[in-house]
């Protein structure tokens, strides 16, 4: 299973960016998908996640500004980031919890990371 993320780049404070991530490979079923981020000198942290049923979870720091959505048919997840702040600068990683057949356990897969820089 591979996750391909795209959409990072440079945005001004108050601006918007949209990240996309698509999973490919032998996927039997999907549990959650989500986004993590890692700022320089900091640990990776959960930004947001979405379950197969559509339930979402957000870090307090992004509530009301970021929105996660998914296309289950495409095993894709998206992150709409509005009202960006310099503190949002980080490498964003796509995460998916999949199993490759009905007998295997769910396990985590990671995308390659995409850099988001918020600066004037």
């Amino acid at each position: 299973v591979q996750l391909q993320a795209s959409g990072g780049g440079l945005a001004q404070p108050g601006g918007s960016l949209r990240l996309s991530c698509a999973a490919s490979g032998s996927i039997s079923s999907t549990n959650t998908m989500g986004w993590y981020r890692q700022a320089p000198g900091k640990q990776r942290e959960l930004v947001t996640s979405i379950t197969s049923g559509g339930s979402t979870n957000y870090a307090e720091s992004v509530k009301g500004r970021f929105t996660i959505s998914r296309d289950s048919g495409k095993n894709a997840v998206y992150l709409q980031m509005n009202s960006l702040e310099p503190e949002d600068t980080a490498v964003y990683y796509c995460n998916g919890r999949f199993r490759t057949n009905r007998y295997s356990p769910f396990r985590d897969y990671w995308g390659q990371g995409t850099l988001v820089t918020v600066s004037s």
Side-chain angles (χ1 to χ4, degrees):
V1 176
Q2 293 186 330
L3 293 171
Q4 181 68 44
S6 61
L10 175 65
Q12 292 188 338
S16 299
L17 284 173
R18 179 177 169 86
L19 306 183
S20 300
C21 176
S24 61
S26 179
I27 298 172
S28 172
S29 58
T30 303
N31 190 335
T32 59
M33 296 189 74
W35 294 91
Y36 287 69
R37 68 185 180 187
Q38 187 167 18
K42 295 187 176 181
Q43 290 187 330
R44 189 176 299 190
E45 63 175 359
L46 173 67
V47 177
T48 179
S49 63
I50 185 168
T51 69
S52 58
S55 296
T56 57
N57 178 44
Y58 293 93
E60 284 295 326
S61 59
V62 307
K63 280 183 179 179
R65 301 187 298 120
F66 291 10
T67 303
I68 190 171
S69 59
R70 70 187 289 174
D71 183 334
S72 297
K74 296 181 180 179
N75 281 318
V77 65
Y78 310 96
L79 181 62
Q80 179 65 43
M81 304 185 292
N82 298 328
S83 302
L84 283 162
E85 303 170 353
E87 292 74 24
D88 296 318
T89 296
V91 176
Y92 284 70
Y93 296 90
C94 175
N95 167 267
R97 184 163 293 174
F98 310 107
R99 60 182 179 186
T100 55
N101 64 72
R102 60 187 296 182
Y103 303 109
S104 66
F106 283 100
R107 55 158 290 193
D108 285 314
Y109 294 85
W110 296 91
Q112 81 282 11
T114 184
L115 178 63
V116 171
T117 303
V118 183
S119 174
S120 56

